[in-house]
Amino acid sequence: MHFGVREMDLVNHLNDRLLFAVPKSEFQDFHRFYSVQKGRLYQQCLELLKGADIQFNRSNRLDIALCTNLPIALVFLPAADIPRFVGEGRVSLGITGQDQVAESNIDVREIIDLGFGSCKLQVEVPENGAFSDPRQLVGKSIVTSFTSLTEQYFRKLEAEAANAEPAVNGNEKKPLKTVIKYVGGSVEAACALGIADAVVDLVESGETMRAAGLKAIETVFETSAVLIGSQHPTHPDLLDIIVSRIKGVIAAGKYVLCNYNCPRDKLNVVITITPGHRAPTVSPLEEEGWVAVSSMVEKKRIAEVMDRLQAAGAEDILVFNISNSRV
């Protein structure tokens, strides 16, 4: 956890608070989360907490912050460590990547896909090299920060190559022919420096890999940020409230509120265009034969929905952002 004396002393007196792990902002701690996005994910986490009305003040030199309006303590950790602290410690909730959960092999609950931080864990090889298929890498040297996921992937390839499952002696797996080497940072440099034939690393846009002269030949794992929970959380009632609030914030980010007027005889048509989350709200207007309709619409579809509404006879179409929700 790399806590100082003050943090350790504070943790020992937090039995009355739910512990919630949040990724640290420092670049070195984000590398195994999504280094390509640097501090942007940290900011997105803070915005999510703000939207859920989890208020806190954090000292620059402390990795624990006490919430001022709820009995919660935020614990700022490297994203790669969060699954272990949630799964094995007193930390009840955490935000990390699906890749980190899968890599850790720790038993935690994946509660909500938070909808940001999407990346791919990919096999990358030199652009002008001899490899174009991951099967060609069986028996070669691979560098990665994700040794567990990479080993699982190459075990499958080796089994396919042998046309059989890996041999097992008792509970011991057959040794890999492929050499998997761990590097904690600058994975993309491994091929150029001559220590690997290929790398397995997280890729968002691919710019860093292309700059290093690499190309992707396979996706091992697709990932995004998730809210995870302990199988045995403290303060379960408070945990349920936090989860409900975060779900509301996530839903609010996906939808807008679309209001419009239309002739009553067109109502059956327009509500098929905007069916709403459950059903649209329909109210009569003072003008005879007209109604007002209000409905939640997916933000990514709103332009197309407005076009269809207008074509169907709707007028006065207005769109409003939703700052929070409970759906």
Side-chain angles (χ1 to χ4, degrees), residues 217-231:
I217 59 172
E218 186 64 86
T219 295
V220 175
F221 193 88
E222 294 194 19
T223 180
S224 60
V226 287
L227 179 72
I228 61 174
S230 168
Q231 298 289 4

Side-chain angles (χ1 to χ4, degrees), residues 32-319:
R32 294 193 63 202
F33 190 30
Y34 307 107
S35 63
V36 289
Q37 300 187 35
K38 299 185 180 178
R40 185 158 64 87
L41 282 170
Y42 174 72
Q43 190 59 41
Q44 288 174 304
C45 289
L46 295 188
E47 290 171 2
L48 183 66
L49 297 176
K50 181 180 179 180
D53 195 30
I54 297 174
Q55 303 172 19
F56 67 95
N57 296 311
R58 181 191 178 195
S59 166
N60 290 333
R61 304 185 69 85
L62 280 177
D63 283 335
I64 293 180
L66 301 183
C67 294
T68 57
N69 63 330
L70 291 167
I72 298 170
L74 299 177
V75 186
F76 295 87
L77 296 168
D81 294 342
I82 288 176
R84 182 167 300 279
F85 281 103
V86 172
E88 297 182 358
R90 289 197 292 123
V91 180
S92 295
L93 283 173
I95 296 174
T96 188
Q98 290 170 315
D99 53 294
Q100 302 297 351
V101 176
E103 176 70 14
S104 70
N105 290 314
I106 302 294
D107 185 22
V108 297
R109 292 184 297 140
E110 290 192 26
I111 302 173
I112 309 172
D113 186 335
L114 298 175
F116 57 80
S118 296
C119 285
K120 294 179 180 180
L121 187 65
Q122 294 187 320
V123 181
E124 301 271 344
V125 297
E127 180 72 39
N128 300 317
F131 306 113
S132 58
D133 188 298
R135 294 169 186 82
Q136 296 173 302
L137 295 171
V138 169
K140 304 299 182 181
S141 179
I142 313 296
V143 159
T144 183
S145 298
F146 295 85
T147 55
S148 178
L149 288 172
T150 302
E151 180 181 326
Q152 291 173 33
Y153 177 75
F154 278 97
R155 279 195 180 281
K156 182 179 178 182
L157 288 188
E158 290 190 11
E160 290 174 356
N163 198 27
E165 290 298 319
V168 176
N169 298 320
N171 293 324
E172 201 172 311
K173 292 181 179 178
K174 182 179 180 181
L176 271 174
K177 297 177 184 176
T178 310
V179 178
I180 311 296
K181 301 176 183 177
Y182 173 79
V183 172
S186 300
V187 174
E188 68 279 357
C191 294
L193 294 176
I195 64 171
D197 297 297
V199 303
V200 175
D201 202 15
L202 283 175
V203 177
E204 184 192 24
S205 65
E207 291 181 11
T208 301
M209 290 299 178
R210 285 192 291 272
L214 302 175
K215 65 179 179 180
I217 59 172
E218 186 64 86
T219 295
V220 175
F221 193 88
E222 294 194 19
T223 180
S224 60
V226 287
L227 179 72
I228 61 174
S230 168
Q231 298 289 4
H232 306 285
T234 64
H235 311 282
D237 292 342
L238 177 58
L239 183 146
D240 289 343
I241 291 172
I242 298 168
V243 170
S244 178
R245 289 187 181 188
I246 290 177
K247 285 182 177 178
V249 175
I250 298 301
K254 292 180 179 178
Y255 291 91
V256 291
L257 189 65
C258 183
N259 291 351
Y260 57 90
N261 300 327
C262 75
R264 185 176 287 278
D265 60 9
K266 302 286 187 182
L267 186 58
N268 289 339
V269 176
V270 295
I271 63 174
T272 63
I273 301 172
T274 58
H277 190 264
R278 177 166 297 173
T281 300
V282 180
S283 307
L285 292 180
E286 289 296 320
E287 184 174 346
E288 185 69 26
W290 282 75
V291 294
V293 182
S294 180
S295 184
M296 289 175 63
V297 176
E298 280 188 292
K299 186 179 292 186
K300 64 183 180 182
R301 295 181 51 244
I302 190 58
E304 175 235 337
V305 166
M306 293 175 73
D307 292 340
R308 292 176 62 193
L309 286 173
Q310 188 173 34
E315 298 181 8
D316 310 317
I317 304 169
L318 303 175
V319 176

